[in-house]
Amino acid sequence: MQEGVYTVYAVSEPKSRTDLAGIPHATVAIRFAVPGQSNASFVADVTGGPAPLTVRFTDTSSISATSWSWTFGDGGTSTAQNPVHTYAAAGNYTVALTLNGGGETCTRSAYIKVTPILFGDANGDGAVNQADTLRVLKEVVGLETKPASGTEQFQKTDVHRNGIIEVGDALFIAQYNVGLRDVWFTLI
């Protein structure tokens, strides 16, 4: 049997679980876990973006906990079940949740990726989308003016990080938009 949560049906006579109308029955959820694997788990509403980045963490652990201890990788901590944390500086941060004073722990390495600026926002509208891909292509063929080297807009556009704005930057932005690259524009 694979790890997961399963529903068990108890009935007073043999019947399909889809045909229990009028038959006394009860259900209970049972969780099967891999031995030695932690039952602690969590998710974040966002896992990457420019600083300052506010992240809402949600405890999704499969056990009932009475205490939570979070470390956010930047020196910040919390004892809330579902904390909100703001990352002020760029970097990749490892997040850990420990339940019940150390009984169960979930650690996610480099889970939160914070950039100094919104890389890929070539048109400066505060979002990275296909309009940015088109903007870079227009800059490459001379239909739009390229941002000056050394400016923040140049850094946002030169996601290929080779010192020039080229078709590769448009390709990287397009790949980001379909989920092939993360906020640092590294392959996922």
Side-chain angles (χ1 to χ4, degrees):
M1 184 167 277
Q2 290 187 338
E3 178 179 7
V5 177
Y6 296 86
T7 302
V8 177
Y9 296 84
V11 295
S12 59
E13 60 185 75
K15 281 285 195 180
S16 167
R17 69 178 169 89
T18 59
D19 186 26
L20 295 177
I23 305 293
H25 68 280
T27 62
V28 64
I30 297 177
R31 182 181 187 338
F32 290 98
V34 176
Q37 184 172 327
S38 177
N39 292 311
S41 182
F42 64 88
V43 295
D45 66 337
V46 295
T47 58
L53 180 68
T54 299
V55 181
R56 287 166 182 73
F57 293 95
T58 303
D59 170 20
T60 58
S61 302
S62 60
I63 61 169
S64 294
T66 56
S67 68
W68 299 264
S69 177
W70 295 84
T71 58
F72 301 114
D74 64 350
T77 62
S78 176
T79 57
Q81 181 178 6
N82 300 307
V84 176
H85 183 72
T86 300
Y87 291 88
N92 293 335
Y93 298 99
T94 296
V95 180
L97 167 62
T98 301
L99 302 176
N100 301 330
E104 302 281 341
T105 299
C106 177
T107 301
R108 298 182 193 239
S109 297
Y111 185 57
I112 304 297
K113 298 175 185 324
V114 182
T115 60
I117 57 175
L118 184 57
F119 293 122
D121 184 17
N123 65 6
D125 67 354
V128 181
N129 51 40
Q130 293 302 12
D132 298 300
T133 303
L134 180 59
R135 170 69 186 225
V136 173
L137 291 173
K138 286 181 176 181
E139 290 173 2
V140 169
V141 298
L143 296 175
E144 296 279 349
T145 304
K146 292 180 184 179
S149 181
T151 64
E152 183 176 296
Q153 194 57 43
F154 185 89
Q155 287 180 304
K156 289 180 179 182
T157 306
D158 182 25
V159 296
H160 198 220
R161 294 191 196 126
N162 63 351
I164 59 172
I165 295 175
E166 60 174 356
V167 173
D169 297 307
L171 174 64
F172 276 32
I173 294 169
Q175 289 173 336
Y176 170 83
N177 284 309
V178 296
L180 297 176
R181 294 192 178 270
D182 67 14
V183 295
W184 286 102
F185 281 85
T186 57
L187 285 171
I188 294 177

